[in-house]
Amino acid sequence: MNMLIMGAPGAGKGTFSRLLREELNLNHISTGDIFRENISKGTPLGLEAKSYTEQGKLVPDSVTNKMVKDYLENLTDKKNGYLLDGYPRTIDQAKAFEEMTKGTDLAVDTVLVMDVPFEELTRRITGRRSCPKCGEIYNIYSNPPKVEGVCDHDGTALTQRKDDNEESLKTRLDEYSKNTEPVIGYYDEKGLVSHVDALGDKDEIWTRIKKVLNI
Ligand code: AMP
């Protein structure tokens, strides 16, 4: 299965990508995670992306498309396909991605869209914390760790993303409405989209996802 997971910031893409990649043995590619990793290592790509991501703006398409292309070209173990989280986020990226994968076994076959009302997203985003070591995602309101501030799995101190504040969130939501929602329409026309109601607790949402994907 070659799947895209889409939804507004805070819709739960990261959380459910982690479950889906285990369940289906997929390569999980998160463009946001790749940017954050490059920023923390201070690579040239990181330096280019830093000011955009910190303000909640999209990194230019040319940079992002090249990064995804390089990633796919270097993918040696294709597993059962991929789960692409956070890409494509503009119509131009969707077209570039189609070009990159045309005639290969990497063409998209499923697009999962996580639907959450915009009012809920601020609470999710400002409450989000994650483990820098294993990547587990928590929420201080709805899914707190057993001991405040530390990861249940490895005891590492949890961190908050720099762009998880109300100001960047506003820009991120604007970017989403303006640039990313049309991408859902683009794939809808190809008959590839399944929507899931992503409000509720984690187990409930997971059951719904498995149902819509038939897994
Ligand atoms: P995310 O972790 O998916 O919320 O992404 C965090 C940030 O990384 C975004 O706010 C953008 O600045 C950047 N980013 C991630 N994916 C893309 C993309 N496909 N196109 C442009 N910028 C992106």
Side-chain angles (χ1 to χ4, degrees), residues 4 6 84 86-91 93-95 97 180 183 187:
L4 309 181
M6 299 188 64
L84 196 37
Y87 180 92
R89 243 162 154 123
T90 66
I91 291 282
Q93 289 181 11
K95 288 184 177 158
F97 189 54
T180 309
V183 179
Y187 288 111

Side-chain angles (χ1 to χ4, degrees), residues 151-164:
C151 181
D152 293 349
H153 303 300
D154 48 40
T156 304
L158 301 180
T159 54
Q160 183 172 25
R161 276 171 50 169
K162 241 184 166 163
D163 58 347
D164 275 352

Side-chain angles (χ1 to χ4, degrees), residues 127-206:
R128 174 159 64 183
R129 303 288 183 275
S130 58
C131 173
K133 189 166 175 204
C134 72
E136 187 65 41
I137 301 167
Y138 299 89
N139 188 288
I140 57 171
Y141 308 116
S142 56
N143 176 32
K146 292 194 182 89
V147 178
E148 193 185 325
V150 295
C151 181
D152 293 349
H153 303 300
D154 48 40
T156 304
L158 301 180
T159 54
Q160 183 172 25
R161 276 171 50 169
K162 241 184 166 163
D163 58 347
D164 275 352
N165 58 68
E166 288 200 37
E167 203 181 307
S168 305
L169 178 62
K170 194 184 165 315
T171 312
R172 287 157 72 198
L173 291 178
D174 286 347
E175 291 277 32
Y176 182 76
S177 307
K178 196 170 90 199
N179 292 304
T180 309
E181 269 180 344
V183 179
I184 298 174
Y186 177 87
Y187 288 111
D188 217 5
E189 279 177 17
K190 297 178 189 292
L192 299 178
V193 174
S194 300
H195 286 267
V196 69
D197 171 5
L199 258 191
D201 75 27
K202 194 172 161 184
D203 292 343
E204 241 168 28
I205 301 167
W206 181 228

Side-chain angles (χ1 to χ4, degrees), residues 31-33 35-36 52-53 56-59 64 86-87 89 93 161 163 172:
T31 45
D33 283 350
F35 283 131
R36 279 185 288 281
Y52 297 100
T53 59
K57 290 187 181 155
L58 292 181
V59 177
T64 310
Y87 180 92
R89 243 162 154 123
Q93 289 181 11
R161 276 171 50 169
D163 58 347
R172 287 157 72 198

